[in-house]
Amino acid sequence: MQPDIRTILGSQREEASILGSLDTKERLERVLRIDNYLRNEKNLQGLYEALYNDLRKPEVEVIATEVGIIQSQISYIKKNLHKWDRDHKVSTPLPLLGTRSYIRYEPKGVVLIMSPWNFPLNLSLVPLVYAIAAGNAVVLKPSEMSSHTSAYIRKMITELFRWNEVAVVEGDATVATKLLELPFDHIFFTGSPHVGKVIMSKAAEHLTSLTLELGGKSPAIIDETANIPQIARRLAWAKSINCGQTCVTPDYVIIHDSKKREFIEEFRSSITELYNSSGTGTEKSPDYCRIINHRHFKRLNSLYQDAIEKNAHLLTGGNFEEEELFISPTLLDNISEDMSIMQEEIFGPLLPVITYNDRSEVKDIIHRHPNPLMLYIASRDGKNIKFFMDGNPAGGTIINDYMLGYSNPNLPFGGINNSGMGKSLGFHCFMEFSNKRSVIHRKWGSLGLIYPPYNDRVLWMVKALYRWM
Ligand code: NAD
């Protein structure tokens, strides 16, 4: 039986010093418990059920977008932890002759991880495995909206860890608020920019360090040189996987006017090919997810209605079935900035299409919104690619494809300002959970020559020292 959160924090604090002194092998053993659990077919059955109940997620996507990602991060940790975990020697400037300098990545202590509902397993366990690898004790609060998967995570973690090492606390914003009153040593939050601001102000009370993995409107630019059939198919998939409820989903398209007609045709036929090849309708496809709940369904429906009332044209899709929480992939054009769909992150399968004639217009459109998590560029012209990247800050950029941002652990993943701060994946994520302690170890010599009493010789020495730095 797990005690209340204050008791958990108190016990985890005591345990943290033990966890912090574990060697690489012992930390890895803890990380691998999760890997072994997810390799057991019996355990996977429970997960398939949980994710089906939460999002109607097909089994292929459970592996591709949840379990597989966690396992690939674990194997990356397995290959690299021994390198991250040791002291990192740095060079020594001449005036510090006689000393040795190094950086020691040490655990922050007790960390809080808060996760969203859209990839509820992946976005809980990926930060968790890095937090454990870095030697921390962890309180994990998964989302109340994906309640089946949250219960699965709690059962799994309770089987694998003592609660004074890793504890799962389920609950809604009320529980989150109570957790945020406690002095954690780091908070790793994945969720909306709106709640991110709440987290930041709460963290400020204890000056707790923060990683914020947020969202926002990620634009997809398609220029006049892009391979339209190829890019439309990729975009149709990217906008439909998880029913568009992905932080890196392209939020809106900015396409060169000369390519719009071809793009619409190709997008339509790609949706048919992917989700309606039998002609029975996308709603019958076993491969198409559902909206997480009625609140989000209504939110998306009102974004759509507002756009239509303000003269947006429906190009394809537009089927909303509330009982089923089904929304078809929906393409809209004749978009104006006063539409709500252009003012907030869509986070669903609605895709507004905006056209441009001169590439300078693209920057004006993007600059109306805060810096995005991803900036997508479809182009075969190197100069255009450079033009669209320069002066358009984004957490990441994918050229001629979509979604891949969370797949290479050698690259940092995360946003900028409104789309987040701090980075996930690989060494970057390990660092988020580590204090970078700098160590200078004097072996011989001293700085005694510049001690008082001061005179012209000391002044000359000080000036010379800084010249040699
Ligand atoms: P959310 O911000 O509503 O919730 C995230 C977490 O915060 C949940 O655990 C929730 O219980 C908690 N929470 C909600 N309200 C709170 C409050 N007032 N005080 C304290 N805690 C509170 O986000 P969501 O709806 O679960 O997820 C969607 C958002 O997450 C989108 O904006 C999406 O772009 C973003 N996201 C970002 C990433 C990323 O890696 N950058 C990944 C997935 C989702």
Side-chain angles (χ1 to χ4, degrees):
M1 183 66 182
Q2 198 167 279
D4 65 277
I5 51 179
R6 276 186 192 277
T7 312
I8 293 175
L9 185 73
S11 298
Q12 288 206 344
R13 233 176 235 309
E14 282 171 26
E15 192 67 14
S17 61
I18 300 170
L19 294 176
S21 57
L22 295 180
D23 63 23
T24 311
K25 209 168 136 218
E26 290 166 313
R27 291 186 194 185
L28 208 47
E29 179 276 320
R30 281 165 169 73
V31 172
L32 291 175
R33 287 180 202 170
I34 293 173
D35 193 42
N36 291 335
Y37 191 94
L38 293 174
R39 285 187 191 283
N40 181 326
E41 227 10 84
K42 211 169 110 228
N43 294 335
L44 278 184
Q45 286 309 322
L47 182 62
Y48 292 142
E49 269 169 43
L51 282 162
Y52 185 87
N53 288 332
D54 284 332
L55 286 150
R56 253 237 234 163
K57 205 172 269 220
E59 289 184 11
V60 171
E61 286 181 24
V62 173
I63 299 301
T65 66
E66 305 264 8
V67 176
I69 291 184
I70 299 158
Q71 286 174 329
S72 68
Q73 297 302 315
I74 292 176
S75 63
Y76 192 78
I77 291 172
K78 207 169 146 188
K79 281 189 213 120
N80 292 289
L81 187 58
H82 68 284
K83 284 185 255 162
W84 305 339
D85 210 13
R86 63 177 180 227
D87 297 340
H88 293 242
K89 212 172 155 241
V90 296
S91 61
T92 300
L94 198 58
L96 292 180
L97 207 65
T99 67
R100 201 168 66 88
S101 296
Y102 56 92
I103 305 166
R104 168 167 290 185
Y105 297 112
E106 57 188 15
K108 286 195 171 169
V110 183
V111 303
L112 172 65
I113 295 173
M114 293 176 65
S115 52
W117 50 263
N118 61 331
F119 291 97
L121 189 82
N122 165 354
L123 295 171
S124 299
L125 297 193
V126 167
L128 177 66
V129 293
Y130 282 102
I132 296 172
N136 297 281
V138 185
V139 174
L140 168 64
K141 198 208 87 60
S143 173
E144 69 281 14
M145 295 204 205
S146 45
S147 57
H148 297 92
T149 313
S150 295
Y152 178 89
I153 293 171
R154 179 166 180 165
K155 180 173 171 295
M156 166 188 189
I157 296 300
T158 311
E159 277 178 38
L160 299 181
F161 297 93
R162 286 177 291 122
W163 56 261
N164 60 355
E165 288 182 60
V166 184
V168 176
V169 176
E170 286 180 84
D172 58 12
T174 326
V175 173
T177 306
K178 285 194 182 129
L179 283 168
L180 290 167
E181 277 158 16
L182 302 176
F184 285 96
D185 299 312
H186 187 78
I187 300 173
F188 189 107
F189 171 81
T190 309
S192 60
H194 170 70
V195 179
K197 288 177 192 168
V198 176
I199 308 294
M200 197 165 184
S201 71
K202 288 285 186 188
E205 285 170 25
H206 300 291
L207 291 177
T208 300
S209 59
L210 262 185
T211 309
L212 296 177
E213 294 283 344
L214 310 177
K217 293 184 86 62
S218 295
I221 305 165
I222 302 175
D223 82 356
E224 66 280 19
T225 70
N227 179 336
I228 297 296
Q230 194 183 69
I231 213 68
R233 188 166 193 272
R234 291 174 187 173
L235 187 46
W237 168 75
K239 193 67 192 177
S240 308
I241 190 166
N242 218 35
C243 210
Q245 303 165 110
T246 305
C247 58
V248 290
T249 301
D251 190 89
Y252 60 102
V253 169
I254 312 172
I255 188 167
H256 193 272
D257 198 36
S258 62
K259 294 291 173 181
K260 181 176 144 186
R261 189 184 287 270
E262 185 187 0
F263 171 76
I264 294 166
E265 281 317 310
E266 294 290 344
F267 187 93
R268 265 196 205 121
S269 60
S270 299
I271 293 292
T272 306
E273 187 196 329
L274 296 173
Y275 298 106
N276 190 19
S277 53
S278 57
T280 51
T282 305
E283 64 276 21
K284 293 279 184 303
S285 169
D287 301 332
Y288 191 72
C289 289
R290 291 296 181 265
I291 302 301
I292 183 75
N293 57 25
H294 289 274
R295 178 160 81 75
H296 278 280
F297 181 92
K298 287 194 166 77
R299 179 184 63 78
L300 287 160
N301 198 8
S302 73
L303 288 183
Y304 173 73
Q305 295 301 342
D306 173 77
I308 295 295
E309 276 161 26
K310 290 175 181 153
N311 290 328
H313 297 158
L314 175 62
L315 300 169
T316 189
N319 302 327
F320 288 70
E321 290 174 28
E322 177 151 14
E323 213 165 291
E324 271 285 298
L325 294 173
F326 169 82
I327 302 178
S328 58
T330 297
L331 210 54
L332 296 161
D333 80 343
N334 203 31
I335 298 298
S336 54
E337 277 298 323
D338 64 328
M339 295 173 180
S340 309
I341 209 167
M342 288 312 293
Q343 288 164 11
E344 60 179 84
E345 181 182 3
I346 297 171
F347 217 59
L350 314 177
L351 186 60
V353 179
I354 300 169
T355 52
Y356 74 93
N357 288 298
D358 185 282
R359 65 183 191 176
S360 63
E361 295 165 44
V362 174
K363 284 192 176 173
D364 295 340
I365 297 165
I366 293 174
H367 290 172
R368 286 183 203 132
H369 307 282
N371 293 332
L373 183 57
M374 300 303 290
L375 174 72
Y376 294 103
I377 302 168
S379 174
R380 286 184 280 198
D381 178 336
K383 286 194 183 123
N384 272 356
I385 293 171
K386 183 172 178 335
F387 178 84
F388 292 133
M389 284 232 262
D390 291 350
N392 277 330
T397 280
I398 312 283
I399 299 160
N400 293 329
D401 212 333
Y402 300 98
M403 307 296 277
L404 306 177
Y406 202 69
S407 50
N408 184 350
N410 296 306
L411 287 172
F413 177 84
I416 169 169
N417 307 127
N418 192 71
S419 53
M421 59 187 70
K423 300 289 166 179
S424 182
L425 300 189
F427 183 54
H428 310 279
C429 198
F430 175 84
M431 292 247 280
E432 294 292 308
F433 291 111
S434 303
N435 173 42
K436 302 156 204 67
R437 180 192 290 231
S438 62
V439 183
I440 297 182
H441 186 160
R442 168 128 356 243
K443 298 281 192 177
W444 51 270
S446 87
L447 285 181
L449 288 175
I450 61 162
Y451 291 174
Y454 297 136
N455 52 34
D456 286 350
R457 189 185 53 83
V458 174
L459 185 61
W460 181 88
M461 281 299 289
V462 172
K463 284 182 179 171
L465 276 180
Y466 281 103
R467 268 201 299 276
W468 291 330
M469 275 292 225

